[in-house]
Amino acid sequence: MKLTDNVLHSFRVATIFRENSDKINCFDFSPGGQTVISSCDDDSIMLYDCQEGKPKRTLYSKKYCVDLIRYTHAANTVVYSSNKINDTIRYLSLHDNKYSRYFPGHNKKAVALSMSPVNNAFISGSLNKIIRLWDLRSPNCQGLMHLQGKLVCSFDPKGLIFAAGVNSEMVNLYDLRSFDKGLFATFKMNYDRTCEWTSLKFSNDGKLILLSTNGGFLRLVDVFKGAVLHTFGGYNNSKTFTLEASFTPDSQVIMIGSEDGKIHVWNGESSMKVAVLDGKHTRPITCLQFNPKFMTFALHWGSSREMNNEEEALN
């Protein structure tokens, strides 16, 4: 099914999950889209079956806590950051709930974590302005770089390059095959002091970068030219929440939640807003991702322990 405007308008809430007692801080779909995994401030890791629409398993990381979580290129293992005892990244087997490896090195909280979609490499960025390159097969850092500002980073869909957004004003591109030689391209954006970049994502065709902010706008950047193609706004975020934006799998549509619980949808080529979906959410939508294979997306709404945190799937 093609994602036409009519299809986008037809999305409705299909399933609501209320298993968590605190804020869900991150979730990620498996490469094949069959499952989605979430990490929560209550130290739980929840695994959901996307085809059956129900919880599948609950794991805990009470000793270390769990923050950013990402599937590896295998559907039964994840890496995640933690900050309760230290800032080590952990490699967890979901099959037997055992750690396969630890990745020590960061001495401040990890704020970015991206897994290569094609091999064992992954990158992490921390509050001390350092990006580290890792390989799942070794606990030793494969390379690092010191950047001059707060950062966000992500691999491209082919796993050949990665991008780092620095200080909310510059995007640097690095070739994994010549990581030690430094960046091969850099694009400087207009700096907006009213907000900061909170995430950087590539489109599935590798041609676009989506920069999310803790303000009321997103930026769409051409990877090859470094030009800002469009700025998307018109959604509420007056309290500077970190609101996750997402591409659809065809790279044509951009979606983000808002402070007032609505979901805003734009055509990436024309920049026209094509839909505002209202699932009657009463709190900010902080996490939102589209399934890479199936016609559904997941979101989380809720912001504190006193509120009932809810995660749901729409299709």
Side-chain angles (χ1 to χ4, degrees):
M1 183 184 292
K2 188 176 180 181
L3 271 173
T4 63
D5 290 359
N6 287 336
V7 171
L8 291 166
H9 279 282
S10 71
F11 274 84
R12 298 292 183 271
V13 175
T15 309
I16 298 177
F17 305 106
R18 297 184 174 91
E19 281 71 31
N20 294 103
S21 61
D22 210 330
K23 178 186 175 183
I24 294 171
N25 51 54
C26 184
F27 56 68
D28 194 37
F29 281 100
S30 63
Q34 289 88 358
T35 59
V36 62
I37 196 164
S38 67
S39 57
C40 181
D41 286 352
D42 62 11
D43 302 332
S44 68
I45 298 171
M46 291 290 304
L47 185 65
Y48 300 91
D49 188 307
C50 295
Q51 293 175 306
E52 296 186 9
K54 63 183 183 181
K56 192 173 182 179
R57 194 178 183 190
T58 304
L59 308 173
Y60 290 96
S61 182
K62 291 188 176 296
K63 182 178 179 180
Y64 306 111
C65 90
V66 54
D67 194 8
L68 301 175
I69 192 164
R70 299 285 185 261
Y71 273 104
T72 69
H73 51 85
N76 61 346
T77 58
V78 295
V79 291
Y80 71 83
S81 64
S82 53
N83 54 26
K84 185 177 284 186
I85 294 178
N86 52 42
D87 299 288
T88 294
I89 295 169
R90 291 171 168 82
Y91 180 22
L92 178 68
S93 168
L94 301 175
H95 173 68
D96 52 11
N97 193 24
K98 292 183 178 179
Y99 294 112
S100 302
R101 193 158 285 113
Y102 300 90
F103 303 96
H106 288 304
N107 55 23
K108 286 193 176 181
K109 179 181 178 180
V111 293
L113 185 63
S114 179
M115 186 74 211
S116 167
V118 298
N119 58 32
N120 291 305
F122 71 94
I123 52 175
S124 58
S126 66
L127 282 175
N128 59 357
K129 306 173 185 177
I130 292 177
I131 289 180
R132 290 181 179 267
L133 173 66
W134 308 90
D135 188 300
L136 290 174
R137 297 166 294 186
S138 170
N140 301 317
C141 178
Q142 305 296 299
L144 62 86
M145 62 182 66
H146 296 263
L147 301 176
Q148 303 301 311
K150 293 183 178 180
L151 60 90
V152 289
C153 58
S154 180
F155 268 101
D156 85 317
K158 293 183 179 180
L160 297 176
I161 67 172
F162 67 88
V166 185
N167 207 33
S168 302
E169 61 179 339
M170 188 175 299
V171 175
N172 297 337
L173 298 181
Y174 300 85
D175 190 319
L176 193 65
R177 296 160 294 187
S178 55
F179 177 83
D180 57 332
K181 295 180 181 179
L183 58 89
F184 69 85
T186 185
F187 312 131
K188 190 165 185 179
M189 312 289 168
N190 291 328
Y191 183 52
D192 189 327
R193 296 183 181 276
T194 64
C195 62
E196 296 180 346
W197 296 351
T198 54
S199 75
L200 180 156
K201 290 184 179 182
F202 279 89
S203 58
N204 283 344
D205 60 12
K207 298 178 180 179
L208 304 168
I209 287 176
L210 183 62
L211 293 168
S212 301
T213 73
N214 61 358
F217 66 90
L218 309 168
R219 285 198 174 115
L220 190 65
V221 180
D222 185 301
V223 172
F224 304 105
K225 299 178 180 179
V228 176
L229 298 177
H230 302 298
T231 298
F232 306 105
Y235 59 93
N236 294 328
N237 192 18
S238 62
K239 297 181 180 179
T240 66
F241 286 104
T242 298
L243 306 177
E244 182 179 18
S246 179
F247 283 105
T248 52
D250 61 5
S251 306
Q252 300 300 306
V253 177
I254 289 98
M255 313 177 77
I256 193 171
S258 61
E259 183 180 276
D260 58 9
K262 293 182 173 62
I263 302 150
H264 296 253
V265 186
W266 295 269
N267 180 294
E269 184 175 358
S270 68
S271 79
M272 297 295 294
K273 185 174 286 188
V274 297
V276 178
L277 305 176
D278 189 358
K280 307 303 179 184
H281 310 111
T282 57
R283 297 182 291 277
I285 297 172
T286 52
C287 300
L288 186 153
Q289 285 186 33
F290 210 99
N291 190 300
K293 298 294 182 182
F294 303 115
M295 192 69 76
T296 184
F297 66 93
L299 59 88
H300 163 69
W301 56 294
S303 58
S304 71
R305 185 179 294 274
E306 289 75 23
M307 299 177 179
N308 291 325
N309 283 266
E310 304 188 9
E311 182 178 352
E312 67 185 34
L314 291 89
N315 60 24

